[in-house]
């Protein structure tokens, strides 16, 4: 099996020294990549910058922005992959145009605006390419409602919903509490567990879908 995993929070450049990003640590995505490797899969980890060390025996592709991530994932899927697990926190917006030079302060100016445009939706863009597609829904309200809507809008096989308002799970910690939803409407509500154990539960489900298609 060839599994493609994305991780980290994308960085959208404002100018040569400034970015828009988010609080994703990359831990859940790296845990999925490592779990897939340990099951014998070939793994491509497409990662936005994180503080984590590169895992052994995994092809690591380092990207910055949502657009870079899309280009890398699209070409990897076109070359043939069995599954894509999008654990990355992809920015929804990017600066309409990144300044070529560092933006300067202006004396007397105490307010400014930054025009943003929508980033491409990576999952929606690759939905017709082969492979099982798994998305994440990090939500602070109406977790299951939002997750179901994303599952169908993005044409996913599975979505992993997590409540990022909890302090013991989700962003930047080693544990996660998730619900895995599938196309048939089944909801697998998992207790608090390590991100590695969450990774294994997701990969169990991916394996079942891949096997059913062969
Ligand atoms: O729409 P939302 O960002 O909440 O959806 C989350 C899921 O979609 C995650 O799996 C994320 O990696 C993916 N995503 C994407 N392209 C975007 C934004 C999010 O593939 N531009």
């Amino acid at each position: 099996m060839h599994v493609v995993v994305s991780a980290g929070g994308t960085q959208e450049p404002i100018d040569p020294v400034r970015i828009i990003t988010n609080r994703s640590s990359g831990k859940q995505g790296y845990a999925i990549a490592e779990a897939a490797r340990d099951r014998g899969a070939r793994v491509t980890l497409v990662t936005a910058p994180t503080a984590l060390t590169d895992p052994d025996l995994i092809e690591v592709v380092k990207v910055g922005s949502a657009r870079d991530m899309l280009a890398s994932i699209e070409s990897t899927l076109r070359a043939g992959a069995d599954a894509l697990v999008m654990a990355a926190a992809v920015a929804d917006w990017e600066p309409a145009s990144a300044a070529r030079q560092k933006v300067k302060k202006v004396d007397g100016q105490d307010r400014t605006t930054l025009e943003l445009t929508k980033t491409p939706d990576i999952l929606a863009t690759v939905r017709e390419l082969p492979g099982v597609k798994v998305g994440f829904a990090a939500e602070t309200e109406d977790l299951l409602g939002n997750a179901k809507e994303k599952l169908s809008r993005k044409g996913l096989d599975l979505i992993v919903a997590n409540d990022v308002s909890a302090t013991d799970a989700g962003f930047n910690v080693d544990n996660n509490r998730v619900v895995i939803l599938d196309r048939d409407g089944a909801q697998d509500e998992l207790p608090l567990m390590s991100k590695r154990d969450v990774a294994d539960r997701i990969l169990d489900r991916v394996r079942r879908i891949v096997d059913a298609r062969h």
Side-chain angles (χ1 to χ4, degrees), residues 86 88 90-92 119-123 135-136 150 153-154:
M86 277 295 297
V90 183
D92 294 325
T119 57
D121 190 303
I122 298 171
L123 280 170
F136 275 73
K150 279 171 200 180
R153 177 165 48 87
K154 298 184 191 231

Side-chain angles (χ1 to χ4, degrees), residues 17-65:
V17 297
R18 302 184 179 97
I19 54 169
I20 299 176
T21 189
N22 60 67
R23 295 186 193 280
S24 172
S25 65
K27 286 178 176 175
Q28 184 63 74
Y30 276 56
I32 295 164
E34 288 167 356
R37 172 202 62 197
D38 294 347
R39 287 164 175 239
R42 173 185 159 204
V43 181
T44 304
L45 174 63
V46 180
T47 182
T50 72
L52 305 172
T53 42
D54 290 0
D56 291 333
L57 305 176
I58 285 177
E59 182 197 0
V60 181
V61 181
K62 296 187 178 172
V63 297
S65 66

Side-chain angles (χ1 to χ4, degrees), residues 81-85 130-134 157-158 205-206 209-210 213:
D82 299 285
L84 168 66
V85 185
V132 172
K133 310 288 179 338
V134 183
D157 296 287
L158 296 172
R205 300 290 298 268
V206 169
I209 299 171
V210 171
R213 284 186 189 170

Side-chain angles (χ1 to χ4, degrees), residues 124-153:
T125 307
V126 303
R127 66 185 286 167
E128 301 303 334
L129 295 180
V132 172
K133 310 288 179 338
V134 183
F136 275 73
E139 308 290 342
T140 57
E141 56 186 356
D142 191 14
L143 182 64
L144 298 181
N146 280 313
K148 280 183 210 157
E149 185 274 324
K150 279 171 200 180
L151 178 78
S152 73
R153 177 165 48 87

